[in-house]
Structures are given as structure tokens and as C-alpha cells.
Amino acid sequence: MATIAAPKSGSPGTTLGTPLLARIGNTPLVRLEHLTADLPGIQLLGKAEWHNPGGSVKDRAAAAIVLEALRNEQVCPGKRLLDATSGNTGIAYAMLGAALGFPVTLCMPSNVSPERKRILRAYGAEVLWTDPAESSDGAIRKARELAADPQYFYADQYSNPSTWRAHYSGTANEILEQTGSRITHFVAGLGTTGTFMGVTRRLKEVNPKIECISMQPDSPFHGLEGLKHMATAIVPAIYDPGLADRNVEVETEAAYAMAKRLARTEGLLVGISAAAAVAASLRIAEEQSALGKEAVIVTILPDAADKYLSERFWGE
Amino acid sequence: MTIEIPTPLRVYTANQSAVAVDANTVTEAVSALLARYPEFKKHLYTPDGKLRSFVNLYLNDEDVRYLPQGEESAVQPSDTLSIIPSIAGGGLAVQAGAPSA
């Protein structure tokens, strides 16, 4: 079986520039100062994950999964990486497959945005479209059906421990460093749950007093791309509901309103799940302010708005 | 006509994926659905009665919002109305032109 050599780091002084994998992570921590202008003592900060080369937070987990698979020779030029995705993980796999030389097959609901479809086509990934009425759960069922075929390595981001470990070793430590360990609250949406699980485990090790709040859609029927309503969805194997100090539910309309507000008051064009995370974070900020407390609230902004600009809510 | 029910809402239809209703227009079809399953209303409509912006209704393969008569469009017994959440744009109309590789 042909294998793919693990990416090399260049010799100092001879190889210039930054390779793809080294550009994943170490994203900026942006201050949302206009949102909290009337909340003294409150700082609201967001990890700008669209600075990853594939444009989203999913580069982190996808890179961790791919590197593990390369080490174990589970992907190679003749063996396809297979997974279910609602979009951004697929883009990350497609980008990594193109750069590292392995083929990628994705199962994805057909109602992902047209922008995503064009990006995947540009990277050359194979996409199997699943019933939009079944959302990401339909894509998961399709990937499970195909997984028995030996031509595939089923990466299974919803069960793969690399999904949360990438955030445990990467994102969480970046947050601690960027806040000087002054973070008091962490807020993140639940999709694969990898971001919340990994960051929370690390933050709690360092300081158990950091309050970690998970966020999910308020209803099984929602428009928050990539997020899951845990009470009714296929629950990811890596999800531990006991880890969150509390859970906040966000309505799709509140996320849309926050996306527009962030664009027009902070000059930030964020995606819908990022807007939902900020809406949840602002509720925490207002609670803390009402209690007369100071707080450093950090959330994850999974991607930017560029893949959602065809959504009609921008014009409503 | 037939109304296809998205997976997250089948909890209200005893897991039925499709429901048959008698109707002359899309509005009548949705009204019949809501009369039979009142729990659907808060998922599909805002408190002031507007279709929630992430909810798409497709009459066969056409987005009802973009039909000349909108929700007053006439329907036939052989038609299918689908309720599709807009995860982030796209939908059945886009699916037809989806890249396959």
C-alpha cells in the first residue's frame, strides 16, 4: 500500500513560508467592545476561527483526525477518508486531502449553502448528498452505511476522540494564554461537541472555577448550521452532558439578529453559529453585570459570514 | 395532497414521514396540518404569524416564497409539499444543481 509521508518541517534557513498545517490554530481573540459598552466590568471575547486556512474552527479537529489517520496509515492514495458533515468539517477534510494527497468522500445534507458546495467542488472532494429533511443525522446514517466498505476510512468526527483532543491541547491553551488566565466564563455551541468538551476539560483542570456554558438550538427544528438539539438528535459519542455547568438555548431568530448587529456595530461578519454563541454570551454578560460582578467571557466564533451571505435574513 | 414532514418534527406525527391533507392552496394545506398537529405552529411560524425565515416550504421542487401566488398557490391532489429547514441557504432547488464530485 502506498503511504503518504508525514508533513516535514523545513530546515531553518532553507525553507521559507508557512505550510498548511502550521497555519491551523493560534487564531486571534477579538474584543466585542460595543456589545458590552453599557456593561461595566464585563469583557466579551471571541476566538476568530475563520482565520484558520479552511475558514473555520473545524480545521483543528479535521487536522488532528487526519494526522492520526496518516500515522496509522488509515488514509493513503488508494483509501478514501469518509465522514458525515454539515459543511465546515467537509471543507477542512477536502482542503487537507488536496494538500496531503488522499481522496475524500463526504456525506452531507443537500440543503447546505451553495457557497459550501462550490468550495468542496473547488477542492475536488466527492460529495454524497443526503435528504435535507433529515439534516446532519441523515448524513451520519449514510456514512455509517458506507463505512463497512474497505475502500473507506470512516473518520467519524462525532465519535473520534481527536475531535475534542484538538481543543484540549490547542484552543483551550490559546485562550488561557490570550487572556492571561483571567477567563471567568467559557461559552460554546454543541455540534460534534468537540470544542466544548475539549476546551472545558482543559480549563477545568487549570481552574475549576471557570464557568463553562454549553449552547444549543432551542428547538429540534432550527436554522443554526452545525449545531445540534441534543434532546432529539443523534447524540455524539464524545458528548458528556455532565461537563457543562449550565446550558443555554438560543432561538434561530436571535442568532440572525446578532449576526446583523455584529456586522453593523462591531464590523464583524460572522456565521450563524458564531452569532448564536455571541447571543448566548451576551446573556451571560448581562446576568453577571446585573449581579454587579466582573467577568471575562470567552466564546468561539466558528466561522465568518461569507458562506451564509445568500441567507435571506440579512435583508429582512 | 401530501405533506412531507422533516425528521425533527416527526415526533408530533407519531413518526409518520408524510401526511395526506385535502386542500386547494398551500395555505389551506398548512392550515389543515396545523389543525391536526397544533404543536407545529410554534416551529413553523413566528408569534405574529409569519413563516419563520429559516423555514422553507417547497411545492414539489419550487420554493413557495418565489411562486407568483406564494402561499396562495393552487395545489393538486398529486402535489407534494415539503417542509425543509434552511440550514444555511440552498435547499431542493439548489440540490438539482449540486456538484457531484
Side-chain angles (χ1 to χ4, degrees):
Chain A
M1 181 190 287
T3 57
I4 300 167
K8 293 173 187 166
S9 53
S11 310
T14 57
T15 306
L16 304 175
T18 312
L20 181 71
L21 288 168
R23 289 168 49 218
I24 295 173
N26 292 310
T27 52
L29 188 67
V30 300
R31 187 166 58 219
L32 306 175
E33 53 196 346
H34 294 98
L35 288 188
T36 54
D38 58 347
L39 304 174
I42 304 292
Q43 293 199 60
L44 182 46
L45 308 164
K47 286 285 274 177
E49 292 297 307
W50 59 85
H51 282 267
N52 288 301
S56 86
V57 67
K58 295 295 192 173
D59 284 8
R60 296 176 183 266
I65 288 169
V66 164
L67 286 174
E68 179 78 8
L70 286 173
R71 273 192 293 273
N72 297 332
E73 298 185 9
Q74 289 165 305
V75 289
C76 57
K79 184 129 177 161
R80 307 188 72 89
L81 182 144
L82 166 73
D83 212 347
T85 160
S86 60
N88 278 331
T89 307
I91 290 171
Y93 286 141
M95 173 189 75
L96 292 164
L100 302 177
F102 59 87
V104 172
T105 296
L106 305 166
C107 301
M108 189 174 292
S110 64
N111 54 334
V112 300
S113 69
E115 293 93 332
R116 274 173 202 223
K117 293 178 177 178
R118 292 185 189 118
I119 292 168
L120 292 166
R121 179 165 46 187
Y123 281 130
E126 177 186 57
V127 185
L128 305 174
W129 301 106
T130 59
D131 185 349
E134 295 188 21
S135 197
S136 62
D137 286 356
I140 292 171
R141 280 188 272 270
K142 180 69 180 173
R144 286 178 178 172
E145 273 173 39
L146 295 173
D149 186 328
Q151 72 166 309
Y152 295 117
F153 161 65
Y154 180 30
D156 195 2
Q157 60 163 332
Y158 293 93
S159 307
N160 195 318
S162 293
T163 302
W164 68 263
R165 285 182 189 144
H167 297 285
Y168 175 90
S169 60
T171 318
N173 289 324
E174 292 170 30
I175 290 170
L176 289 166
E177 187 181 326
Q178 287 169 311
T179 62
S181 297
R182 289 171 57 205
I183 176 175
T184 59
H185 296 74
F186 174 66
V187 181
L190 298 177
T192 65
T193 76
T195 305
F196 185 79
M197 294 292 113
V199 172
T200 296
R201 283 195 176 110
R202 179 68 187 138
L203 293 180
K204 291 284 188 185
E205 274 179 8
V206 173
N207 179 1
K209 289 183 180 167
I210 297 171
E211 195 173 335
C212 296
I213 300 123
S214 57
M215 179 273 291
Q216 58 182 304
D218 69 325
S219 152
F221 195 62
H222 65 89
L224 303 179
E225 170 126 9
L227 300 186
K228 277 177 171 283
H229 182 255
M230 288 299 163
T232 55
I234 295 177
V235 177
I238 61 170
Y239 180 48
D240 174 2
L243 215 51
D245 292 298
R246 60 188 278 206
N247 182 67
V248 173
E249 294 187 345
V250 173
E251 312 76 30
T252 299
E253 284 81 1
Y256 287 166
M258 183 56 78
K260 290 198 278 190
R261 186 175 172 188
L262 287 168
R264 291 165 196 187
T265 62
E266 302 280 358
L268 278 178
L269 284 176
V270 305
I272 299 163
S273 62
V278 174
S281 301
L282 188 56
R283 287 177 201 169
I284 304 297
E286 289 166 345
E287 283 176 16
Q288 294 300 304
S289 179
L291 293 169
K293 293 185 176 174
E294 294 191 349
V296 176
I297 303 165
V298 178
T299 193
I300 304 293
L301 309 174
D303 66 2
D306 49 351
K307 294 188 285 288
Y308 311 95
L309 291 174
S310 59
E311 283 289 291
R312 70 175 70 82
F313 75 85
W314 294 103
E316 288 177 342
Chain B
M1 74 175 307
T2 302
I3 301 181
E4 289 191 350
I5 309 298
T7 311
L9 295 182
R10 288 178 196 166
V11 62
Y12 303 118
T13 61
N15 227 21
Q16 286 185 83
S17 60
V19 172
V21 296
D22 289 324
N24 295 311
T25 64
V26 171
T27 297
E28 285 184 23
V30 175
S31 297
L33 182 73
L34 296 180
R36 201 179 305 173
Y37 305 108
E39 300 91 341
F40 270 45
K41 191 166 186 179
K42 69 175 183 198
H43 294 291
L44 303 184
Y45 289 90
T46 60
D48 56 354
K50 202 172 151 221
L51 192 64
R52 296 179 76 181
S53 60
F54 69 93
V55 178
N56 295 321
L57 297 178
Y58 286 87
L59 181 57
N60 303 317
D61 285 343
E62 299 289 334
D63 188 334
V64 170
R65 275 192 182 87
Y66 301 115
L67 291 176
Q69 305 293 318
E71 292 181 46
E72 296 311 312
S73 301
V75 298
Q76 306 299 320
S78 58
D79 285 340
T80 298
L81 188 69
S82 305
I83 304 169
I84 303 290
S86 162
I87 289 187
L92 297 180
V94 175
Q95 184 182 15
S100 58

